[in-house]
């Protein structure tokens, strides 16, 4: 009898377990079945032909990835995080105002967005009439145009060969947008850009792809390339189709994929613009700021380095553009509603990924920076280099360069710094980091195809612009120890120190073009002028000497080595 009762008990437990599993499966599948029933035709389109050119190879992995995904993961409603069924009413009402329906006038959306953002931040300019804001933008464009028309910004590159371009693309190639899963795949331009067969010419590729095609040995993008401005607009306006957390790194970053298959790295807002890094914070434990990424791109452009991938600010709806479309369950599980009824999430990372450091919207709108992705590593390999003046990243230990005043002499005898322009590129990066107060430059990258004779890429600038009241002079140690800089860089710095082209003024005007403007508060802009004067003051190096011809490159590129005291 006991054995029979035991068996019955076991069967009962098994049945309860199976019923519970079935209920969970039904809860997950029911919304999907409802969506399928309402969607009408659920036909999927497949590519009509195999891609045979490089551009199609760029797009193919993303197409296959999106085609392989099922319909968006069914996410439980916000009542999972709140006992009140109407906890997301305010979120929905704001969403209707912030995101007009399809077909709504996009110009009206663009004109309203800066005003709404300024009101969110409590910006005094929120009451400025639209015509005043427009006049400021026009003046900014005029002054920036005058700077870029200066002879120092009109130098020409050597003639490019196949070995000098990252990709060799046949200009007669075609790409058929019908091969994409999404039939609403759009490109900028008129319908005339389409060929009679419906295929797109190379000039009509999405801006992110044209940006990749334009990379060469000497620059990430050209000075007046209209593709960059188009790419910045795409980063701000393109529909986000998928979101996932980026693996690695110390702080939370998201990979966002757009409707045109472009991708960008999203860094959400962690602190307000007027918050300074506490004086007792180590550089490696500082926040990564979204506005620093945006400002770094503009600074890099004004210095004419053009080594930072395009970055734009964007106001993101955390519910509609992250939570509802993400397939990353680890990210989705970290969403919750705060006591102030705001939508928050924290993700997973090494630092600052916890409920205490959650990222919260108002109620579900959050600012962030979107940095355009570089070409996939499978198509364009990059080499990672340790910065010779890398910090120790230790609370007590010091790096070798901090205790050895002759450290630069050792560096100059070590490849690739013993020839070419690599050491001078490090000096450019030093100036760039000092102007924005960035101490977190432990590595840098180059494109492997170009070997050692190429520029270095300025990635990960989020720890810049943390302190405007302090100038970290230790960042300038490479410049003071080596006492050399590119002649073109030195001349441009002198130009930006003049009242007519004052760096702070040029930066302020350039940053006005971003939809999250103002990006920097005035003390940060003033700090750049102050730091620029310190860079130029190092021209009194007593031990600088003439440099051997073996370290020179073509003068037409204006990278002839320049002795600061010469």
């Amino acid at each position: 009898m006991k054995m029979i009762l035991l068996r019955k008990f076991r069967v009962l437990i098994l049945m309860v377990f199976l019923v519970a599993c079935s209920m969970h499966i039904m809860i997950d599948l029911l919304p999907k079945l409802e969506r399928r029933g309402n969607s009408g035709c659920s036909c999927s389109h497949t590519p009509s032909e195999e891609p045979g050119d490089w551009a199609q190879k760029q797009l193919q992995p993303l197409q296959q990835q999106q085609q392989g995904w099922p319909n968006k993961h069914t996410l439980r409603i916000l009542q999972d995080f709140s006992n009140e069924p109407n906890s997301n009413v305010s979120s929905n009402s704001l969403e209707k105002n912030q995101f007009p329906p399809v077909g709504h006038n996009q110009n009206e959306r663009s004109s309203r967005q800066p005003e709404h953002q300024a009101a969110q931040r409590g910006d005094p300019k929120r009451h400025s009439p639209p015509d005043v804001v427009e006049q400021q933008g026009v003046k900014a464009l005029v002054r920036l145009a005058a700077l870029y028309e200066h002879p120092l910004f009109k130098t020409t590159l050597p003639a490019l060969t196949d070995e000098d371009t990252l990709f060799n693309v046949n200009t007669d190639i075609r790409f058929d947008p019908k091969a994409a899963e999404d039939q609403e795949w759009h490109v900028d331009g008129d319908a005339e850009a389409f060929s009679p067969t419906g295929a797109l010419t190379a000039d009509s590729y999405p801006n992110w792809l044209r940006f990749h095609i334009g990379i060469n040995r000497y620059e990430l993008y050209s000075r007046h390339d209209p593709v960059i401005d188009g790419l910045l607009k795409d980063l701000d306006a393109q529909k986000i189709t998928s979101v996932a957390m980026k693996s690695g790194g110390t702080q939370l970053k998201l990979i966002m994929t757009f409707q045109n298959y472009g991708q960008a790295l999203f860094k959400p807002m962690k602190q307000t613009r007027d918050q300074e890094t506490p004086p007792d914070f180590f550089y490696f434990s500082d926040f990564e700021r979204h506005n620093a990424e945006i400002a770094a791109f503009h600074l890099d452009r004004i210095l004419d380095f053009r080594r930072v991938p395009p970055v734009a600010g964007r106001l993101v709806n955390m519910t509609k553009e992250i939570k509802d479309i993400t397939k990353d369950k680890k990210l989705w599980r970290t969403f919750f509603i705060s006591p102030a009824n705001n939508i928050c999430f924290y993700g997973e990372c090494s630092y600052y990924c916890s409920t205490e450091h959650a990222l919260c919207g108002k109620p579900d709108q959050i600012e962030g920076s979107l940095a355009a992705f570089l070409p996939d590593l499978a198509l364009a390999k990059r080499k990672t280099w340790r910065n010779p003046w890398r910090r120790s990243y230790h609370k007590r230990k010091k790096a070798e360069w901090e205790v050895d005043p002759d450290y630069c002499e050792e560096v100059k005898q070590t490849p690739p710094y013993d020839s070419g322009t690599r050491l001078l590129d490090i000096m450019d990066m030093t100036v760039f980091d000092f102007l924005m107060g960035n101490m977190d430059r432990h590595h840098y990258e180059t494109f492997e195809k170009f070997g050692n004779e190429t520029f270095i890429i300025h990635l990960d600038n989020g720890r810049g612009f943390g302190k405007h009241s302090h100038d970290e002079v230790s960042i300038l140690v490479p410049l003071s120890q080596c006492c050399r800089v590119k002649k073109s860089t030195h001349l441009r710095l002198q130009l930006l120190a003049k009242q007519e082209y004052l760096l702070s003024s040029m930066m302020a005007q350039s940053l006005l073009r971003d939809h999250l403007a103002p990006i920097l508060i005035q003390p940060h802009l003033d700090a750049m002028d102050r730091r620029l004067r310190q860079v130029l003051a190092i021209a009194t190096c007593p031990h600088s000497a003439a440099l051997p011809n073996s370290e020179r490159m073509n003068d037409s590129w204006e990278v002839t080595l320049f002795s600061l005291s010469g």
Side-chain angles (χ1 to χ4, degrees):
M1 179 65 69
K2 291 183 179 180
M3 292 298 295
I4 294 175
L5 292 176
L6 182 61
R7 289 177 182 177
K8 289 183 178 181
F9 181 70
R10 289 177 178 176
V11 171
L12 179 62
I13 292 177
L14 180 60
M15 291 180 64
V16 171
F17 176 75
L18 291 175
V19 170
C21 291
S22 301
M23 291 180 63
H24 279 286
I25 293 174
M26 291 299 298
I27 290 173
D28 285 340
L29 290 180
L30 185 59
K32 292 184 180 179
L33 295 175
E34 290 178 354
R35 266 204 311 275
R36 288 185 179 180
N38 298 330
S39 62
C41 177
S42 60
C43 303
S44 60
H45 300 271
T46 56
S48 58
E49 59 181 0
E50 289 295 324
D53 56 65
W54 170 84
Q56 293 183 19
K57 291 179 182 178
Q58 278 275 67
L59 288 164
Q60 186 182 19
L62 292 174
Q63 293 172 3
Q64 292 176 346
Q65 186 183 31
Q66 292 199 5
Q67 289 172 354
W69 282 338
N71 289 336
K72 65 180 182 180
H73 178 67
T74 304
L75 300 176
R76 292 182 175 84
I77 58 177
L78 295 179
Q79 65 185 13
D80 285 2
F81 308 107
S82 173
N83 292 328
E84 300 181 10
N86 62 344
S87 61
N88 59 345
V89 172
S90 59
S91 169
N92 292 334
S93 61
L94 179 59
E95 180 180 320
K96 292 179 181 179
N97 295 330
Q98 182 65 23
F99 295 91
V102 176
H104 193 80
N105 190 337
Q106 293 297 321
N107 293 330
E108 183 178 351
R109 174 186 178 272
S110 300
S111 62
R112 290 181 178 180
Q113 185 172 347
E115 181 180 353
H116 168 73
Q117 295 162 357
Q120 260 199 335
R121 295 188 298 271
D123 193 289
K125 294 196 299 184
R126 63 183 181 273
H127 300 298
S128 300
D131 55 343
V132 174
V133 176
E134 184 176 355
Q135 291 176 4
Q136 292 177 349
V138 171
K139 290 180 180 179
L141 291 175
V142 170
R143 295 197 63 183
L144 279 176
L147 174 69
Y148 293 139
E149 289 298 319
H150 192 278
L152 289 175
F153 289 81
K154 283 196 166 185
T155 55
T156 57
L157 299 180
L160 297 178
T161 65
D162 289 345
E163 295 300 319
D164 295 328
T165 55
L166 190 60
F167 299 109
N168 302 324
V169 182
N170 184 354
T171 56
D172 294 330
I173 57 179
R174 297 290 186 270
F175 176 75
D176 187 0
K178 293 181 180 179
E181 177 187 21
D182 193 342
Q183 295 302 298
E184 295 181 358
W185 190 84
H186 298 293
V187 295
D188 295 333
D190 301 328
E192 297 178 357
F194 290 84
S195 69
T197 60
L200 295 176
T201 62
D203 291 339
S204 298
Y205 283 153
N207 289 311
W208 66 266
L209 187 56
R210 298 172 66 189
F211 161 58
H212 291 177
I213 294 173
I215 299 174
N216 60 63
R217 180 185 299 274
Y218 308 111
E219 58 189 5
L220 206 55
Y221 57 89
S222 60
R223 288 189 182 94
H224 306 292
D225 189 352
V227 170
I228 301 304
D229 289 334
L231 179 55
L232 293 174
K233 293 179 181 178
D234 288 346
L235 292 172
D236 176 65
Q238 270 284 327
K239 179 181 178 181
I240 301 170
T241 58
S242 69
V243 179
M245 286 189 294
K246 183 181 182 299
S247 59
T250 58
Q251 299 185 35
L252 178 66
K253 294 177 280 288
L254 303 179
I255 297 175
M256 291 186 169
T257 304
F258 302 116
Q259 187 176 13
N260 66 355
Y261 300 105
Q263 289 186 307
L265 188 67
F266 179 76
K267 290 188 177 182
M269 178 178 180
K270 292 186 173 68
Q271 60 184 36
T272 61
R273 288 155 173 73
D274 58 351
Q275 286 181 284
E276 275 201 280
T277 301
D280 291 327
F281 263 40
F282 286 98
Y283 49 88
F284 48 81
S285 59
D286 192 11
F287 283 118
E288 292 186 16
R289 288 165 283 275
H290 75 297
N291 61 317
E293 292 284 358
I294 302 170
F297 165 70
H298 288 262
L299 176 61
D300 176 82
R301 205 175 188 181
I302 288 174
L303 294 173
D304 201 42
F305 294 156
R306 287 168 284 121
R307 299 165 193 169
V308 175
V311 183
R314 179 163 178 162
L315 193 67
V316 172
N317 185 302
M318 295 164 59
T319 302
K320 183 178 179 180
E321 296 182 299
I322 299 180
K323 184 177 185 292
D324 286 353
I325 64 175
T326 184
K327 313 298 187 301
D328 191 331
K329 293 184 178 180
K330 292 182 179 179
L331 172 63
W332 178 80
R333 290 191 185 107
T334 65
F335 276 84
F336 63 93
I337 291 183
S338 71
N341 207 33
N342 293 324
I343 310 300
C344 306
F345 73 101
Y346 52 85
E348 289 186 0
C349 60
S350 301
Y351 296 99
Y352 305 126
C353 282
S354 62
T355 307
E356 294 77 17
H357 298 96
L359 304 164
C360 297
K362 294 184 179 181
D364 59 358
Q365 312 290 315
I366 189 170
E367 289 185 14
S369 64
L370 278 164
F373 264 33
L374 292 173
D376 191 273
L377 292 175
L379 299 171
K381 293 182 179 180
R382 299 194 300 272
K383 188 170 183 179
T384 301
W385 303 80
R386 182 186 178 97
N387 183 3
W389 280 270
R390 181 184 188 271
R391 297 179 182 273
S392 66
Y393 287 83
H394 193 277
K395 296 180 177 66
R396 292 176 295 276
K397 293 182 180 179
K398 290 188 176 182
E400 183 179 353
W401 58 267
E402 294 181 277
V403 296
D404 182 5
D406 297 324
Y407 178 75
C408 183
E409 296 302 319
E410 299 179 15
V411 174
K412 288 190 293 184
Q413 298 173 18
T414 305
Y417 308 103
D418 58 344
S419 63
T421 62
R422 181 63 60 84
L423 184 61
L424 292 175
D425 287 337
I426 294 292
M427 299 302 112
D428 285 349
M429 187 172 65
T430 295
V431 173
F432 175 64
D433 285 336
F434 179 68
L435 291 176
M436 61 181 179
N438 179 30
M439 303 172 65
D440 186 39
R441 187 70 68 185
H442 44 82
H443 289 84
Y444 64 87
E445 295 183 11
T446 60
F447 288 107
E448 192 173 285
K449 176 180 178 179
F450 303 134
N452 293 334
E453 300 297 329
T454 185
F455 63 93
I456 61 181
I457 309 171
H458 298 164
L459 297 174
D460 294 335
N461 306 297
R463 284 188 170 132
F465 298 103
K467 298 179 182 178
H468 55 74
S469 57
H470 172 71
D471 300 337
E472 185 55 52
V473 294
S474 65
I475 301 175
L476 283 179
V477 168
L479 194 63
S480 60
Q481 286 184 347
C482 298
C483 208
R484 58 188 64 191
V485 72
K486 289 180 183 176
K487 181 177 181 180
S488 57
T489 299
H490 189 239
L491 293 176
R492 289 191 190 100
L493 293 176
Q494 289 178 323
L495 178 67
L496 292 170
K498 295 181 179 179
Q499 191 64 34
E500 182 181 2
Y501 300 108
L502 200 62
L503 177 59
S504 60
S505 178
M506 295 295 100
M507 277 290 292
Q509 292 166 25
S510 181
L511 291 172
L512 279 176
R513 304 168 69 180
D514 192 272
H515 286 176
L516 294 185
I519 303 300
L520 296 177
I521 60 176
Q522 190 60 40
H524 279 300
L525 298 172
D526 296 336
M528 283 191 288
D529 289 334
R530 184 178 67 242
R531 293 164 185 167
L532 177 56
R533 291 192 294 268
Q534 296 182 53
V535 173
L536 294 174
I538 301 182
T540 57
C541 291
H543 56 279
S544 55
L547 302 173
N549 293 330
S550 61
E551 297 185 9
R552 298 179 182 269
M553 285 188 65
N554 193 330
D555 286 348
S556 64
W557 189 28
E558 285 208 32
V559 294
T560 304
L561 295 185
F562 179 72
S563 175
L564 282 172
S565 64

